[in-house]
C-alpha cells in the first residue's frame, strides 16, 4: 500500500473506531501506532509512540491548560456568578428581554474567568432561569438564552479550546487568546440583540420587569463584578504588556479567585478538593487526547496526506470562499455528532495545511473554528449545553431548548460571515499588540 | 436452586469489591495530580511575582515546571476512565441495547487495552533510555527519568482500569440484565457538567 492510501485508510479507520464508541484518544493512538508500525516497522512505530506521550505533554505552553481550568472551577465558589447576574439585573432588567440580555452579559463576564462552556451553562441555568420564569418569560427563550450564552466561554479568554487549537497548529497561544476577546464581545452583543429584538417584536415572550433600583444601588451592584474585572485585567493586561506568559496569567488569576472564594467562606475543604480533582480530571482528559492525536499526526506526516490534501484543495478550480464554506459545512455536520475538542483534534491535522495554503490567517481561522464549536454546543443531536440546561431544569423539555436556540444559531452564522468579510475584526487586536504575525 | 447463579453472584461480588478497592487507588493518584496542579499554581505565581517585582527568576523554573507536568498528564488517566471522562461519540452506542450494547463496549475497551499496552511498552523504553544515559534537562541539568517514569506508571494504572472495564463488560455480555459493575457510566449518565 502506498503511503497516501495508507493515510486515507487510517483516516477511515479512525472514523469507524470513533463511531463504534472507542474513545477519541484511544482511537487516534491506535490508528497512529498501527499505521506507524505498518509503514515504518515495529521499532520505529513503538519508538515514536513511546516518545510522543511524554515529550509532547511536558511543553511549557500546555501548562496554561490546568491553570485556566482551575480558575473556572474555583470561580464557582467565589460567588462571582451571582454577583455578575445581580449587577446585570440591576442595570438591564427594565429593557425588553432585559433578564435574558442580563444573562448573556453575565455569562460573558463569567466566560472571562472560565474556559468551560458547560460549567457556565450549568451555573446560569440555576441562577438565571428561575428568575426569568418567575418574571413570566417564555421557557424556550429562557433556557435557550442560558444554553447559548454559556458557549461564550469558548471564545472569551481564558479559553481552553483556543489553547488546544494553538498547540495543534503551532500558533502563538497568547495571540489566539487576545484574538478571541473582541469576537467574544461581538457574539455576546449579537445574542443580546437577538433576545432584545425578539421580545421587542413579540412582547409576550418576556413581560416587562419593573426595575425599582436606584442609581446608587446599581453602582453598588457593580461591586460583585470586581473579581471578573481583576482577572480580565490580569489575563489581557499581563499578556498585552508582555509581563506574563499565559500560564502565569492563569496561575495569578486562579490565586486571586481562590482568595475571593476563601473570603466568601464558601470554599470548604471538600469544595476545594472537588475543584482540584475535577481540574485534574479535565486536564488529564485533554492531555491524553493531545498526545494521542500527535501520535496520529506523526503517522499522517509519514503518509504525506495533509500536504496532498492541501495541494488538491488549492488546485480546485473554484473560488476559495466556496472551499471555505464547504469546510465550514463539514464542521457544522461533524459538530452535530462529535464533541468540539474531539472534532478539532481529528480534523485539524488534515484541514489546517489546506487553510493556510488557501491564504487564510491561522489566528483568524482559529476564531472561526471556535465559533463553529460554539454553534455545535447548542445544535441537536449532541448540543452539550442544551443537555446541561435540561439536566439542571428537567421540567424544560430538551426539544424546547433545541427549538429555542435556532435564532441564535442563525445569528451566529451571520457573525461568521461578518468575520469573513471583515477579518480585521479578529486580527486587529493581536496585530496591534504583537505586531503582524 | 442451581449452582450457577450463586457462582455468578460471588463473582460479581468479587468484581465489585475489586472495583471499589481499585477506585481508592485511582482517587489517590488523581489527588497527586491535583496537588501537583495546585503546587504548580503557587510556583508559577512565585516566579511571576519575583520576576516582575524583583527582576529575579527562580533557578530551573522552566525545567522543573515542564518535568512536573507529567504528573497531571498521566496519573489521573485511570480515574478519568472510571468516570467516563475521556471524550467519545455516544451516538451509535446509545442506540444499542442489551447484549449488543455490552458487546460493542467490550470491543471498544479491547481496542483501548491493546493500544495502551503498546504505549506502556514504548513509554517504558523511553524512561529506560533516560535512566541509562543519565539524561538531564539543558538549563538546570535536572534528571529527566523520574518524570519520564510517570508516563508508564499512569498508563499502567489506566490499563488495569480498562482491564476491569473489560471484565465488567464481558460479565454483562454473559448476563445483559445484571447490575452493571466495574464499567464507566452509560451515555447520558455521569456526564454531569463541571461544578454540578
Amino acid at each position: 500500500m502506498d503511503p497516501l492510501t495508507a493515510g486515507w485508510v487510517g483516516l477511515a479507520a479512525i472514523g469507524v473506531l470513533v463511531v463504534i464508541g472507542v474513545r477519541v484518544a484511544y482511537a487516534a493512538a491506535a490508528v497512529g501506532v498501527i499505521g506507524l508500525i505498518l509503514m515504518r516497522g515495529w521499532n520505529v512505530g513503538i519508538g515514536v509512540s513511546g516518545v510522543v506521550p511524554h515529550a509532547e505533554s511536558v511543553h511549557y505552553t500546555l501548562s496554561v491548560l490546568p491553570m485556566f481550568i482551575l480558575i473556572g472551577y474555583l470561580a464557582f465558589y467565589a460567588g462571582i456568578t451571582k454577583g455578575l447576574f445581580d449587577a446585570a439585573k440591576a442595570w438591564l432588567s427594565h429593557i425588553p428581554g432585559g433578564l435574558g440580555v442580563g444573562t448573556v452579559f453575565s455569562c460573558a463576564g463569567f466566560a472571562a474567568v472560565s474556559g468551560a462552556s458547560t460549567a457556565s451553562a450549568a451555573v446560569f441555568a440555576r441562577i438565571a432561569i428561575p428568575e426569568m420564569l418567575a418574571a413570566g418569560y417564555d421557557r424556550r427563550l429562557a433556557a435557550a438564552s442560558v444554553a447559548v450564552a454559556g458557549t461564550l466561554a469558548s471564545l472569551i479568554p481564558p479559553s481552553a479550546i483556543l489553547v488546544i487549537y494553538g498547540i495543534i497548529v503551532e500558533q502563538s497561544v497568547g495571540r489566539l487568546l487576545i484574538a478571541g476577546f473582541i469576537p467574544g464581545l461581538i457574539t455576546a452583543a449579537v445574542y443580546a440583540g437577538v433576545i432584545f429584538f425578539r421580545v421587542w417584536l413579540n412582547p409576550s415572550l418576556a413581560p416587562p420587569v419593573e426595575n425599582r433600583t436606584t442609581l446608587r444601588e446599581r453602582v453598588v451592584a457593580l461591586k460583585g463584578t470586581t473579581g471578573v474585572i481583576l482577572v480580565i485585567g490580569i489575563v489581557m493586561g499581563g499578556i498585552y504588556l508582555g509581563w506574563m506568559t499565559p500560564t502565569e496569567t492563569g496561575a495569578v488569576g486562579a490565586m486571586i479567585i481562590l482568595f475571593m472564594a476563601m473570603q466568601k467562606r464558601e470554599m470548604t475543604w471538600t469544595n476545594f478538593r472537588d475543584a482540584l480533582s475535577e481540574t485534574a480530571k479535565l486536564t488529564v482528559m485533554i492531555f491524553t487526547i493531545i498526545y494521542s492525536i500527535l501520535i496520529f499526526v506523526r503517522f499522517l506526516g509519514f503518509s504525506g496526506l495533509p500536504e496532498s490534501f492541501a495541494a488538491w484543495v488549492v488546485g480546485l478550480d473554484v473560488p476559495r470562499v466556496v472551499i471555505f464554506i464547504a469546510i465550514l459545512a463539514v464542521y457544522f455536520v461533524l459538530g452535530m455528532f462529535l464533541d468540539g475538542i474531539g472534532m478539532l483534534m481529528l480534523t485539524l491535522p488534515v484541514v489546517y495545511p489546506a487553510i493556510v495554503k488557501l491564504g487564510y490567517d491561522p489566528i483568524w481561522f482559529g476564531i472561526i473554528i471556535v465559533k463553529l464549536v460554539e454553534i455545535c454546543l447548542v445544535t441537536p443531536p449532541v448540543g452539550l449545553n442544551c443537555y446541561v440546561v435540561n439536566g439542571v431544569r428537567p421540567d424544560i423539555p430538551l426539544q424546547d431548548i433545541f427549538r429555542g436556540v435556532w435564532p441564535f444559531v442563525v445569528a451566529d452564522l451571520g457573525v461568521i460571515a461578518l468575520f469573513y468579510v471583515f477579518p480585521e475584526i479578529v486580527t486587529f487586536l493581536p496585530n496591534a499588540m504583537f505586531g503582524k504575525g | 436452586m442451581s449452582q450457577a447463579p450463586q457462582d455468578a453472584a460471588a463473582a460479581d461480588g468479587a468484581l465489585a469489591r475489586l472495583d471499589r478497592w481499585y477506585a481508592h487507588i485511582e482517587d489517590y493518584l488523581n489527588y497527586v495530580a491535583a496537588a501537583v496542579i495546585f503546587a504548580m499554581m503557587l510556583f508559577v505565581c512565585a516566579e511571576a511575582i519575583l520576576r516582575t517585582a524583583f527582576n529575579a527568576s527562580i533557578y530551573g523554573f522552566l525545567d522543573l515546571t515542564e518535568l512536573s507536568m507529567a504528573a497531571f498528564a498521566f496519573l489521573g488517566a485511570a480515574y478519568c476512565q472510571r468516570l467516563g471522562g475521556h471524550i467519545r461519540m455516544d451516538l451509535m452506542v446509545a442506540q444499542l441495547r442489551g447484549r449488543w450494547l455490552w458487546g460493542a463496549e467490550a470491543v471498544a475497551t479491547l481496542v483501548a487495552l491493546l493500544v495502551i499496552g503498546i504505549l506502556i511498552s514504548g513509554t517504558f523504553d523511553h524512561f529506560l533510555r533516560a535512566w541509562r544515559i543519565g539524561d538531564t534537562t539543558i538549563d538546570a541539568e535536572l534528571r529527566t527519568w523520574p518524570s519520564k517514569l510517570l508516563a508508564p506508571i499512569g498508563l499502567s494504572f489506566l490499563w488495569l482500569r480498562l482491564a476491569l472495564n473489560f471484565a465488567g463488560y464481558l460479565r454483562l455480555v454473559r448476563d445483559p440484565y445484571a447490575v452493571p459493575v466495574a464499567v464507566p457510566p452509560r451515555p447520558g449518565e455521569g456526564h454531569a457538567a463541571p461544578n454540578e
Side-chain angles (χ1 to χ4, degrees):
Chain A
M1 195 186 297
D2 69 291
L4 201 55
T5 315
W8 284 113
V9 171
L11 215 53
I14 212 169
V16 171
L17 288 178
V18 169
V19 167
I20 65 163
V22 178
R23 292 175 195 276
V24 172
Y26 307 146
V31 173
V33 169
I34 293 168
L36 282 167
I37 291 172
L38 292 178
M39 286 174 74
R40 293 281 157 149
W42 178 263
N43 286 339
V44 175
I46 297 289
V48 171
S49 45
V51 171
V52 169
H54 184 273
E56 295 294 345
S57 296
V58 299
H59 275 308
Y60 182 70
T61 324
L62 278 171
S63 61
V64 69
L65 282 168
M67 298 299 108
F68 281 3
I69 296 167
L70 184 60
I71 294 182
Y73 279 109
L74 293 176
F76 177 70
Y77 298 106
I80 281 174
T81 43
K82 189 159 180 341
L84 280 169
F85 189 63
D86 287 345
K89 215 168 56 178
W91 285 88
L92 297 165
S93 63
H94 61 286
I95 66 169
L99 287 178
V101 173
T103 302
V104 168
F105 284 116
S106 30
C107 276
F110 187 65
V113 289
S114 167
S117 294
T118 45
S120 198
V123 172
F124 281 93
R126 279 205 189 89
I127 297 176
I129 292 181
E131 296 228 19
M132 284 193 267
L133 295 185
Y137 273 50
D138 174 71
R139 64 181 186 175
R140 254 186 223 178
L141 178 72
S145 310
V146 171
V148 292
T151 66
L152 290 168
S154 305
L155 210 50
I156 297 178
S159 156
I161 200 145
L162 273 175
V163 175
I164 294 169
Y165 172 85
I167 284 154
I168 295 290
V169 305
E170 296 176 341
Q171 287 294 321
S172 153
V173 169
R175 196 177 264 272
L176 276 162
L177 290 172
I178 296 292
F181 189 67
I182 288 178
L185 290 186
I186 291 176
T187 307
V190 167
Y191 289 163
V194 169
I195 298 171
F196 180 86
F197 283 109
R198 283 188 66 199
V199 175
W200 190 51
L201 292 171
N202 180 6
S204 69
L205 285 174
V209 176
E210 208 176 328
N211 188 354
R212 290 175 185 275
T213 45
T214 61
L215 183 65
R216 191 187 147 76
E217 282 168 340
R218 288 184 190 184
V219 173
V220 170
L222 287 179
K223 256 180 75 182
T225 63
T226 9
V228 171
I229 292 167
L230 256 175
V231 175
I232 295 176
I234 286 164
V235 173
M236 297 291 287
I239 298 174
Y240 175 67
L241 296 170
W243 282 2
M244 290 192 253
T245 62
T247 304
E248 288 169 353
T249 63
V252 176
M255 185 73 117
I256 287 172
I257 298 288
L258 178 63
F259 278 132
M260 286 182 63
M262 283 160 72
Q263 245 184 358
K264 293 260 172 201
R265 298 183 191 281
E266 284 183 36
M267 184 52 84
T268 60
W269 168 247
T270 315
N271 288 344
F272 178 66
R273 195 191 56 191
D274 289 352
L276 274 175
S277 286
E278 285 296 314
T279 302
K281 182 181 144 206
L282 197 54
T283 303
V284 78
M285 183 276 276
I286 294 175
F287 272 75
T288 308
I289 201 166
I290 287 177
Y291 65 71
S292 302
I293 289 288
L294 289 173
I295 295 174
F296 176 63
V297 167
R298 295 286 192 285
F299 156 67
L300 277 187
F302 281 126
S303 78
L305 186 136
E307 297 79 19
S308 153
F309 178 73
W312 176 75
V313 166
V314 173
L316 288 174
D317 192 20
V318 284
R320 69 172 191 167
V321 62
V322 175
I323 300 168
F324 182 74
I325 291 171
I327 290 174
L328 291 199
V330 170
Y331 273 112
F332 193 77
V333 174
L334 265 183
M336 290 183 169
F337 304 99
L338 208 57
D339 167 276
I341 294 177
M343 177 175 86
L344 283 198
M345 295 280 203
L346 288 177
T347 54
L348 279 177
V350 177
V351 170
Y352 178 74
I355 286 291
V356 173
K357 274 213 163 162
L358 284 171
Y360 291 110
D361 182 276
I363 302 290
W364 172 86
F365 184 65
I367 302 303
I368 297 291
I369 214 81
V370 171
K371 283 289 309 161
L372 276 170
V373 168
E374 278 189 338
I375 293 175
C376 297
L377 273 167
V378 291
T379 46
V382 292
L384 194 59
N385 269 21
C386 297
Y387 281 91
V388 169
V389 171
N390 175 250
V392 177
R393 297 291 309 216
D395 55 312
I396 306 176
L398 198 55
Q399 299 94 301
D400 273 7
I401 308 176
F402 277 132
R403 282 199 195 112
V405 299
W406 281 113
F408 296 99
V409 171
V410 172
D412 253 338
L413 293 174
V415 172
I416 292 180
L418 178 79
F419 293 164
Y420 189 89
V421 178
F422 303 106
E424 302 79 18
I425 298 174
V426 176
T427 52
F428 106 88
L429 195 59
N431 285 349
M433 286 185 174
F434 301 101
K436 246 179 154 345
Chain B
M1 189 187 280
S2 72
Q3 192 61 32
Q6 281 179 3
D7 288 345
D12 298 348
L15 186 62
R17 273 200 304 279
L18 187 61
D19 178 50
R20 280 196 297 275
W21 173 79
Y22 191 63
H24 287 302
I25 298 178
E26 290 167 333
D27 287 349
Y28 284 117
L29 283 169
N30 196 57
Y31 288 147
V32 173
V36 171
I37 290 175
F38 188 65
M40 198 174 93
M41 182 195 91
L42 298 175
F43 190 52
V44 172
C45 278
E47 161 73 14
I49 293 164
L50 279 173
R51 209 192 47 240
T52 25
F54 304 101
N55 203 20
S57 203
I58 299 170
Y59 177 71
F61 166 78
L62 198 66
D63 290 354
L64 203 56
T65 306
E66 289 195 334
L67 290 179
S68 64
M69 288 171 70
F72 52 76
F74 300 105
L75 293 185
Y79 172 88
C80 186
Q81 171 65 26
R82 183 180 92 225
L83 299 177
H86 292 291
I87 297 175
R88 71 157 172 180
M89 193 171 119
D90 289 340
L91 214 63
M92 196 203 82
V93 181
Q95 307 302 319
L96 300 175
R97 293 282 174 273
R99 203 157 266 146
W100 282 101
L101 166 69
W102 305 125
E105 295 280 22
V107 170
T109 311
L110 190 63
V111 172
L113 266 172
L114 293 175
V115 70
I116 297 300
I118 295 176
L119 291 191
I120 292 169
S121 144
T123 50
F124 187 77
D125 288 347
H126 188 48
F127 145 75
L128 215 54
R129 275 194 299 277
W131 162 269
R132 283 191 183 135
I133 63 171
D135 183 38
T136 61
T137 57
I138 294 168
D139 288 339
E141 298 191 348
L142 302 172
R143 297 262 173 205
T144 61
W145 69 259
S147 172
K148 288 180 177 169
L149 183 58
L150 290 175
I153 289 178
L155 292 174
S156 299
F157 280 104
L158 171 62
W159 193 90
L160 288 172
R161 166 51 60 189
L162 288 165
L164 269 174
N165 289 163
F166 188 60
Y169 286 130
L170 286 185
R171 170 181 163 270
L172 288 164
V173 168
R174 199 185 61 189
D175 180 5
Y177 300 102
V179 177
V181 166
V183 296
R186 284 279 329 265
E189 304 167 9
H191 292 286
N195 297 330
E196 273 205 289

